[in-house]
Structure formats: C-alpha cells, structure tokens
C-alpha cells in the first residue's frame, strides 16, 4: 500500500507540472483554462494523497479523508466558457496533442486509484478517500473528452448525445 501511495504521490506531482506546461503552451482560452484547473486539482490530489500516506506511515488510522470541498470542475469550466465571446469559443484548439496526452494520463490515474482501492481491503476511511479520487479522475477524463470533442469535432458534438452532458455549451 505504501509503495502504491508513493507512486500516486509522484503521479499527481508530475501531473501538476504536466498540466501547467500544457496550459502555458495553449492559446485556446477554453483548453488553457481546463489545463489550469487540472493543474490545481492534481496539486490538491497530491496534498491529499500525502496526508493519507503520512497517516499510514505513522501507523495512524486515516480520519475523514474524503473529497475536498472544491467547486466542481464542470462548474468552473462553465464559468470560463460562458465568460468567453462566441468567437473565442470557436477558436481551433492549438494543442490537440496535449488534450490527447491528458486523456491518457487521466485513464492511467483511474487505473492506479482502482488498484489502490483493491489494496485497501476493509479500511473504510482509506476506501472513501480513494473512491473520491476515482470519482475526480473520472470527472477530469470526462471534462477532457468533452472539451476535446467540442473543439475538434464541433459539428458532431452538437449532433450527438455528448452535447447533453454539458448542455450549457450549446449557448
């Protein structure tokens, strides 16, 4: 379990740096904001994983390690999106490869936290904490996929069910 948590901590720290670099190299306002938000989230994940790691390392029962009190990712992206002029929303994504690598990174994070969940056994506090991370990683992946499809396959995005997920993007 300790080794898995050490790997998770390193993964989240690297993720923070990865998303900061993607944000810095992206001109599209929506893509840039998504990368910035994900960088913040990865830093929060690293802090929370470190708290769990220290509790386990110190032989203490982790207490109340649940989801952070953060504003949901979709709400932050909605605020950004609605603050853009329609012409800014329509700009081509200049860092499609960044979105693609970010989606793969989030898939890896999902797998990693699912393995950690399997390793926790009956530890309810640890399970609740890791379940919240799995949920947040899924939310990250969903945001990336939705943004990717909106920016690269806009016409299809409007025609398909995907547009119902974040239907405020239809405005």
């Amino acid at each position: 379990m300790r080794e898995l948590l050490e790997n998770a901590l390193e993964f989240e720290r690297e993720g923070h740096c990865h998303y900061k670099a993607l944000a810095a190299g992206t001109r599209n306002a929506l893509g840039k904001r998504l990368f910035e938000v994900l960088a913040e989230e990865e830093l929060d994940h690293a802090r929370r994983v470190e708290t769990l790691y220290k509790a386990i390392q110190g032989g203490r029962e982790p207490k109340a390690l649940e989801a952070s009190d953060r504003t949901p990712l979709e709400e932050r992206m909605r605020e950004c999106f609605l603050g853009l002029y329609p012409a800014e929303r329509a700009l081509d994504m200049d860092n499609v490869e960044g979105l693609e690598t970010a989606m793969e990174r989030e898939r890896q994070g999902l797998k990693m936290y699912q393995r950690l969940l399997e390793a926790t056994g009956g530890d309810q506090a640890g399970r609740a904490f890791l379940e919240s991370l799995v949920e947040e990683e899924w939310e990250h992946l969903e945001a990336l996929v939705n943004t990717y499809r909106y920016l690269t396959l806009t016409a299809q995005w409007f025609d398909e069910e995907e547009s119902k997920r974040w239907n405020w993007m239809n405005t």
Side-chain angles (χ1 to χ4, degrees):
M1 179 73 162
R2 285 186 178 128
E3 184 179 334
L4 290 171
L5 284 171
E6 288 171 0
N7 291 340
L9 185 58
E10 184 64 24
F11 181 82
E12 296 296 350
R13 287 177 177 158
E14 287 175 1
H16 170 73
C17 294
H18 179 74
Y19 287 128
K20 291 291 278 186
L22 287 174
T26 301
R27 289 184 312 274
N28 176 281
L30 187 61
K32 183 180 216 49
R33 181 63 184 141
L34 178 57
F35 292 142
E36 290 169 347
V37 167
L38 290 173
E40 294 166 14
E41 295 246 333
E42 300 302 279
L43 200 56
D44 180 59
H45 289 180
R47 181 189 53 77
R48 291 163 50 211
V49 167
E50 187 172 27
T51 300
L52 178 62
Y53 178 77
K54 285 180 179 177
I56 289 172
Q57 196 171 28
R60 298 183 312 275
E61 175 92 12
K63 297 178 185 168
L65 292 173
E66 296 174 14
S68 67
D69 58 352
R70 67 185 180 70
T71 303
L73 177 60
E74 181 180 350
E75 192 175 315
R76 288 183 277 168
M77 291 307 298
R78 180 178 189 269
E79 195 175 287
C80 170
F81 183 82
L82 295 177
L84 296 174
Y85 292 108
E88 291 175 303
R89 295 178 194 166
L91 287 176
D92 289 338
M93 182 62 186
D94 61 323
N95 196 352
V96 172
E97 186 178 299
L99 281 170
E100 291 168 345
T101 62
M103 288 185 287
E104 181 54 35
R105 176 172 197 72
E106 294 302 326
R107 287 183 188 103
Q108 290 172 2
L110 272 168
K111 288 177 189 173
M112 177 184 61
Y113 286 121
Q114 287 166 339
R115 282 194 305 271
L116 271 166
L117 257 173
E118 292 169 10
T120 60
D123 174 9
Q124 291 306 317
R127 286 191 70 74
F129 169 72
L130 291 169
E131 285 169 354
S132 74
L133 287 177
V134 166
E135 188 176 306
E136 289 174 29
E137 293 294 329
W138 178 251
E139 184 182 54
H140 294 177
L141 180 58
E142 181 181 55
L144 286 160
V145 168
N146 200 42
T147 302
Y148 176 83
R149 289 181 51 77
Y150 178 80
L151 293 170
T152 61
L153 302 166
T154 306
Q156 287 177 331
W157 184 90
F158 278 108
D159 287 342
E160 295 175 357
E161 290 294 311
E162 191 73 15
S163 64
K164 292 181 181 176
R165 184 169 297 144
W166 282 3
N167 61 4
W168 44 263
M169 291 174 96
N170 287 328
T171 58

